[in-house]
Amino acid sequence: EVQLVESGGGLVQPGGSLRLSCAASGFPFSTYAMSWVRQAPGKGLEWVSGITVGGSRDYAGFAKGRFTISRDNTQNTLYLQLNSLKTEDSAIYYCALRNDWSSRGQGTQVTVSS
């Protein structure tokens, strides 16, 4: 059974940074492409970034240059470094299998506010 547990969210001022983590278990993590998605209040799920098995990365337009996705296959952990945060980045952030967003965990709340 796929289990994904996100952490690292919090309250940060505009321009600040956070590092999100996603602990994976129940499946062979190193053999799956992964994604981060987010959901702001009153909106649908929005893709943020993805990383392939080989480590190739891609980003939504709003994330390019500010967010960095990475993975540690020895620790079965996915990361998302968030820099230069804006108020519009406030959302619940989830990690998920690249091709199955329903696999996402409970999420971690990121609030960007002064």
Side-chain angles (χ1 to χ4, degrees):
E1 178 187 2
V2 172
Q3 290 194 329
L4 298 168
V5 179
E6 302 89 343
S7 61
L11 173 63
V12 63
Q13 293 185 341
S17 298
L18 286 171
R19 189 191 195 203
L20 308 184
S21 299
C22 170
S25 62
F27 69 103
F29 177 75
S30 64
T31 67
Y32 278 79
M34 300 294 296
S35 285
W36 285 96
V37 299
R38 70 183 187 183
Q39 187 167 27
K43 296 188 176 181
L45 284 171
E46 178 179 42
W47 179 74
V48 176
S49 181
I51 187 166
T52 67
V53 169
S56 297
R57 309 166 187 183
D58 53 356
Y59 299 92
F62 64 81
K64 286 181 180 177
R66 299 191 299 128
F67 298 176
T68 303
I69 191 172
S70 61
R71 66 191 300 162
D72 183 344
N73 290 335
T74 66
Q75 298 293 323
N76 287 350
T77 303
L78 183 71
Y79 299 100
L80 187 67
Q81 178 70 39
L82 307 174
N83 295 331
S84 302
L85 282 163
K86 305 175 182 180
T87 56
E88 54 263 43
D89 293 319
S90 296
I92 300 174
Y93 284 71
Y94 303 90
C95 65
L97 301 182
R98 181 76 180 247
N99 296 319
D100 180 9
W101 290 3
S102 68
S103 63
R104 65 190 183 277
Q106 84 291 343
T108 187
Q109 176 73 52
V110 172
T111 303
V112 185
S113 174
S114 56

